[in-house]
Structure formats: C-alpha cells, structure tokens
Amino acid sequence: ARADYSQVICPGGEYLVNESISELERRLTEDGFMRVHRSYIVNVDDVHDVEVSRGGLIELRLDRVDASVPVSRRRATEVKGRLGIG
C-alpha cells in the first residue's frame, strides 16, 4: 500500500493501481484474499509456508510470486485461524 495506490504483485508481474488497500480488501475478501498487515493482502491459497519466530512474529511465504509477507500482531489470531495453525 502506498497512500491511495497499491502495488499488486501477481505471477504476471507487478502493477501500481489507483485503489487503496482498503478498497482492494473489500473487493477481494470473497475471492480468498485476506488482509494480514496494514500494508499487505494475500491470496490464502498461495501461502506455501508459515514461519513463526520465537518472539511470535509470523511471516508467510507465498508460492506463485516467490515473496515473504509479515503478519501484524493485530491480525495474527485471525490469520492463524484462517490457515488452521495453532
């Protein structure tokens, strides 16, 4: 997220769209996407691995776009529930 713009990363490339991350979240939630951080929305189906540090911080590894995304502490419980991890 960058102000009223969002950077979208997908297998086909990276795009800057004139839409806020909140707007994208509203549109994409029903399609399997989830907000995991104030700056990140991910396709839950693309989560390949979950890393939890000793301090409890969570990082998601995404399959098709070869990226890692942090999970905010505020959203950690929701993310764990959605991914079925304890």
Side-chain angles (χ1 to χ4, degrees):
R2 299 170 190 220
D4 288 339
Y5 291 87
S6 297
Q7 183 175 4
V8 176
I9 302 171
C10 59
E14 297 183 22
Y15 307 92
L16 188 63
V17 296
N18 187 11
E19 196 168 356
S20 73
I21 194 163
S22 295
E23 291 169 358
L24 285 173
E25 179 184 19
R26 278 191 292 278
R27 284 195 316 115
L28 296 173
T29 298
E30 291 183 18
D31 294 324
F33 287 78
M34 175 182 203
R35 187 132 181 207
V36 298
H37 186 280
R38 70 184 182 112
S39 299
Y40 297 97
I41 296 173
V42 300
N43 182 337
V44 175
D45 290 339
D46 281 344
V47 175
H48 172 70
D49 193 21
V50 179
E51 290 188 14
V52 182
S53 71
R54 289 184 189 197
L57 296 177
I58 302 171
E59 188 171 91
L60 306 176
R61 305 275 173 169
L62 305 178
D63 230 358
R64 294 185 295 163
V65 294
D66 192 31
S68 295
V69 175
V71 174
S72 69
R73 290 185 190 274
R74 179 175 168 246
R75 297 185 185 267
T77 301
E78 180 184 358
V79 170
K80 286 178 181 179
R82 180 86 179 263
L83 296 176
I85 57 176

